[in-house]
Amino acid sequence: MLITHDTRCALDTVVDLVNTAPEDDTPDGLANLAALLDFVRKHQMSDVGTLSELDLSAVRRIRGRFAAVFAAPDARTAASLINELVAAAGTTPRLTNHDGYDWHVHYFAPGASVADHLAADCGMALAFFVVAGEEERLRRCEAPDCRRAFVDLSRNRSRRYCDSRTCGNRLHVAAYRARRKEAAG
């Protein structure tokens, strides 16, 4: 599956957005307006004006809708959720070149809110996976103490953990210790 630079950026953005949601022992990564501003800067989102508390509320709402896409049991459900997100954003594809990047497509209308910007660009990135029959690549970490979202871009669709150096390694070490304890036992 060919993934353009813009699509990859949108995928990274939507994964990071979903992973800002508060979990059992983690705080809300978008707890306040300053956190939203940091998120926008980190992801170098263009054409975002002055942000307000209304923007923060709207982004939190679409974050939950994107989380539902990652939890969708099948392509039909994922497609329905993505269609709702993209339609509500008033998607307006247009070619643009800015900030040193060659021609690429923005899916949000000029002057769109940050929530509509995220819904349009990130929704379209996820739509490409459904169209390609690759929606199973939109996953949640299989570590029992982690449910972070990620996109499995491995060649054979075998990635199970959000980060093999943390979650994957931790589980492999725990399994190794359990085998050693049982063998010594």
Side-chain angles (χ1 to χ4, degrees):
M1 177 174 184
L2 175 66
I3 299 174
T4 65
H5 170 77
D6 289 342
T7 300
R8 180 59 193 255
C9 289
L11 290 172
D12 291 344
T13 301
V14 73
V15 164
D16 285 352
L17 178 63
V18 169
N19 289 334
T20 65
E23 292 287 329
D24 298 330
D25 59 347
T26 60
D28 190 336
L30 293 177
N32 52 43
L33 196 52
L36 178 58
L37 286 167
D38 287 343
F39 183 88
V40 167
R41 280 189 206 108
K42 176 185 174 189
H43 293 284
Q44 300 177 349
M45 294 174 62
S46 60
D47 294 335
V48 174
T50 304
L51 299 176
S52 70
E53 291 293 328
L54 291 174
D55 291 308
L56 179 60
S57 296
V59 169
R60 286 178 180 157
R61 277 192 304 277
I62 66 156
R63 173 180 67 185
R65 296 176 77 191
F66 277 124
V69 173
F70 280 83
D74 54 45
R76 183 175 302 284
T77 304
S80 177
L81 293 165
I82 293 167
N83 282 340
E84 290 171 12
L85 275 162
V86 171
T91 304
T92 308
R94 65 188 171 95
L95 287 168
T96 184
N97 65 341
H98 60 87
D99 299 329
Y101 293 105
D102 205 359
W103 291 105
H104 58 281
V105 179
H106 280 187
Y107 294 97
F108 57 93
S113 70
V114 67
D116 285 346
H117 179 136
L118 287 164
D121 272 358
C122 296
M124 290 304 299
L126 297 177
F128 295 141
F129 277 77
V130 174
V131 167
E134 301 284 352
E135 68 280 347
E136 74 276 0
R137 290 182 182 267
L138 309 176
R139 298 189 176 165
R140 292 288 190 155
C141 184
E142 290 183 18
D145 59 341
C146 179
R147 296 300 300 148
R148 293 178 58 85
F150 69 95
V151 178
D152 179 4
L153 297 176
S154 67
R155 183 174 280 191
N156 62 357
R157 300 179 187 100
S158 62
R159 187 170 159 198
R160 298 174 45 207
Y161 307 111
C162 64
D163 187 346
S164 60
R165 292 176 305 223
T166 55
C167 290
N169 191 47
R170 191 174 62 245
L171 286 176
H172 288 111
V173 168
Y176 171 76
R177 289 181 179 158
R179 285 191 307 272
R180 298 261 307 172
K181 184 177 180 179
E182 187 178 307

